[in-house]
Amino acid sequence: MQVDSSQKAPRINLVDPELYADGDPFEQWRWLRANAPVYWHPPAELPGFWALTRYEDIRTVYRDAATFSSAKGILLRPADHGEDPGGGRTLALTDAPRHRQLRGLVDEWFALRSVRGFEPEMTEVTRRVVDEALESGTCDFVTDVAARVPLYVICRMMGVPSSDWDHLFMLTSQAFGASDPLTQRFAHLDIMSYFEELQAAKAANPGDDLVSILATSEIDGVRLTPDEILLNCDNLLVGGTENTRIAAAGGMLAFLEHRDQWDALAKEPELLPSAVEEVLRWTSTATHIMRTALRPTEIHGNQVAAGDRVTLWLPSANRDESVFDRPDEFDIRRKPNRHLALGFGEHFCLGSVLARAELRILYHELLHRDIQIELAGTPTRLTSIVVNGPEALPVRLTAGQDARAGDDWISPRAAVKANKPSAHTAACSKIHC
């Protein structure tokens, strides 16, 4: 392995959660890209694993699902935790053909035409959330704005009654945001109990929603088991909320730190699609994704054995100097911008169109109403090796002009049949999906 002796080697420890809260992981990633792009990370708190930090290497692994499996887990876990219980049974933790079969059940709901049908509902949800934040004057943008919009939207898609949205918001805040592991565990168990009851109700009385589809559909003539339904409900809830929440808040922090970019977007709203792509690249909220080698293989002369864990460090790939010009600059005009924030290949993010629409609608709402935003305290970052971004973002919001649209809700199936356009169709069509 060729080493660039001109660069002083930092101490490499990618599994130290404090690195992402108070340190500079980009220093380690830059050194690894230049000197050890396929790095064996020795076992410590976690089992040993290969760390990939270059864009092209990560894309290659994403593309080769026959060699690199998702079924044994997609995140690093302590050895004594065993394999992920969703392995081989959920959208995120299956290989072909099961992955394609599960994805085929719900694909329609996340397609571009279906998401367009949701835009009036997403816009109304966003306006309600922003109005509540404005009434407060100061708020935590992470919890009070960025977390609520994607949660309420995925709840609507999953058939959760609106009267339960705030209850699930409280549970997800505890499950994903509490500092106490016991609180997290009990909150997650409560979420699972909720969806256990909901799936039973939907099986008996199906509606036009995702949980009904999971509860009533068949694959090769066989219905999903109750456990499979429950695990996939959890998968959809987490996938539909966590990364979008952090991307929306991380993007807002980036705009607050680069006010010239926010001002440029206000003057040129047609830049919104490319601004969303830059937010996704810049935040790269999934810190790592793991694959397990199914057979011996070689990456740049390094012998990877069957069973080895191979980790893909996405924020590093999205700052790779060989792919991105000025990678450490936040630039809403960046083109091309072929980031890997939403994955690549067979496991490309199911909710990519939805996430982009949620970000676009949120920023559009803030800009269109000329809402003034400024920091009202010191942001803090998550202490996690799984997702990275703001844990808290205290801001002060001041109302500007108010503009509202009157589009009615239309379900995604009806939207597909009617091919109904919406107020945001033109902008959405410019986003690569």
Side-chain angles (χ1 to χ4, degrees):
M1 183 178 298
Q2 187 68 33
V3 175
D4 181 358
S5 59
S6 66
Q7 295 189 44
K8 182 180 178 181
R11 177 176 175 267
I12 302 297
N13 184 3
L14 297 178
V15 298
D16 177 10
E18 296 297 332
L19 172 67
Y20 304 96
D22 301 315
D24 179 12
F26 288 99
E27 178 192 14
Q28 296 190 26
W29 288 326
R30 274 191 295 271
W31 188 89
L32 288 170
R33 285 197 305 271
N35 299 277
V38 184
Y39 175 77
W40 176 253
H41 203 290
E45 302 91 347
L46 296 167
F49 58 90
W50 294 100
L52 273 59
T53 49
R54 285 182 182 172
Y55 181 98
E56 287 300 338
D57 294 336
I58 289 173
R59 241 177 45 135
T60 297
V61 169
Y62 264 135
R63 208 162 27 207
D64 189 0
T67 301
F68 300 100
S69 170
S70 303
K72 295 184 181 296
I74 60 171
L75 298 172
L76 291 166
R77 293 163 61 90
D80 58 2
H81 283 205
E83 293 186 0
D84 194 303
R89 299 194 287 175
T90 68
L91 283 156
L93 276 70
T94 43
D95 299 324
R98 188 66 175 178
H99 172 72
R100 294 171 191 164
Q101 292 170 328
L102 285 170
R103 188 162 178 146
L105 298 179
V106 298
D107 250 343
E108 178 183 292
W109 280 73
F110 296 94
L112 179 58
R113 287 190 297 168
S114 298
V115 171
R116 286 176 181 171
F118 273 108
E119 287 189 358
E121 180 85 352
M122 285 191 281
T123 301
E124 187 55 40
V125 164
T126 302
R127 284 178 179 150
R128 188 166 75 244
V129 168
V130 170
D131 285 342
E132 291 173 0
L134 278 169
E135 288 177 12
S136 300
T138 58
C139 69
D140 177 1
F141 195 88
V142 178
T143 302
D144 298 322
V145 179
R148 290 181 183 272
V149 171
L151 176 70
Y152 292 168
V153 170
I154 197 65
C155 280
R156 178 62 184 84
M157 294 173 72
M158 296 180 76
V160 175
S162 58
S163 57
D164 292 344
W165 290 3
D166 285 334
H167 175 60
L168 274 179
F169 172 74
M170 178 193 71
L171 291 179
T172 54
S173 296
Q174 294 174 347
F176 307 133
S179 57
D180 175 29
L182 198 59
T183 300
Q184 290 182 340
R185 177 175 174 78
F186 281 125
H188 210 138
L189 288 173
D190 285 343
I191 292 171
M192 300 292 269
S193 295
Y194 179 88
F195 279 103
E196 188 172 24
E197 294 180 8
L198 185 63
Q199 65 154 306
K202 297 293 184 180
N205 186 23
D208 187 21
D209 57 73
L210 288 166
V211 177
S212 293
I213 288 176
L214 292 173
T216 60
S217 296
E218 297 180 350
I219 294 176
D220 294 334
V222 179
R223 286 197 176 185
L224 303 184
T225 67
D227 279 354
E228 286 176 318
I229 297 169
L230 188 59
L231 287 166
N232 279 287
C233 285
D234 185 62
N235 194 167
L236 288 170
L237 181 71
V238 174
T241 57
E242 188 73 347
N243 287 83
T244 306
R245 169 180 69 86
I246 302 171
M252 194 70 253
L253 178 58
F255 282 122
L256 289 170
E257 293 174 336
H258 304 84
R259 293 306 299 232
D260 61 315
Q261 297 297 295
W262 186 252
D263 293 343
L265 191 56
K267 292 176 183 176
E268 301 177 68
E270 64 273 16
L271 291 173
L272 197 49
S274 65
V276 166
E277 296 307 314
E278 182 67 346
V279 164
L280 290 168
R281 182 193 76 90
W282 186 259
T283 58
S284 294
T285 57
T287 310
H288 82 272
I289 294 292
M290 189 184 78
R291 295 291 187 260
T292 301
L294 295 177
R295 56 195 179 200
T297 188
E298 180 181 303
I299 308 176
H300 292 314
N302 296 275
Q303 301 303 314
V304 177
D308 281 359
R309 297 169 178 83
V310 178
T311 57
L312 318 178
W313 297 85
L314 302 184
S316 175
N318 288 333
R319 300 280 185 100
D320 190 331
E321 303 84 352
S322 69
V323 176
F324 298 97
D325 181 40
R326 300 168 291 106
D328 296 320
E329 292 183 23
F330 181 66
D331 180 7
I332 63 170
R333 291 182 170 83
R334 183 179 298 278
K335 286 186 180 180
N337 194 350
R338 300 185 182 91
H339 60 77
L340 299 177
L342 299 172
F344 187 78
E346 189 165 295
H347 277 270
F348 183 70
C349 177
L350 174 67
S352 60
V353 177
L354 180 65
R356 285 173 165 128
E358 289 170 336
L359 292 171
R360 175 173 46 82
I361 289 170
L362 173 58
Y363 295 144
H364 174 271
E365 184 69 12
L366 296 170
L367 288 162
H368 187 55
R369 292 170 61 174
D370 192 29
I371 293 171
Q372 303 302 306
I373 307 172
E374 59 183 352
L375 283 174
T378 303
T380 58
R381 297 187 65 82
L382 289 162
T383 305
S384 169
I385 70 166
V386 176
V387 288
N388 75 97
E391 180 179 40
L393 180 58
V395 296
R396 183 175 298 105
L397 281 71
T398 306
Q401 65 175 344
D402 192 357
R404 294 180 178 271
D407 291 353
D408 294 325
W409 158 260
I410 181 170
S411 81
R413 288 182 180 178
V416 170
K417 291 176 182 177
N419 195 21
K420 176 181 169 61
S422 75
H424 298 279
T425 296
C428 189
S429 65
K430 296 177 183 177
I431 304 174
H432 72 271
C433 299

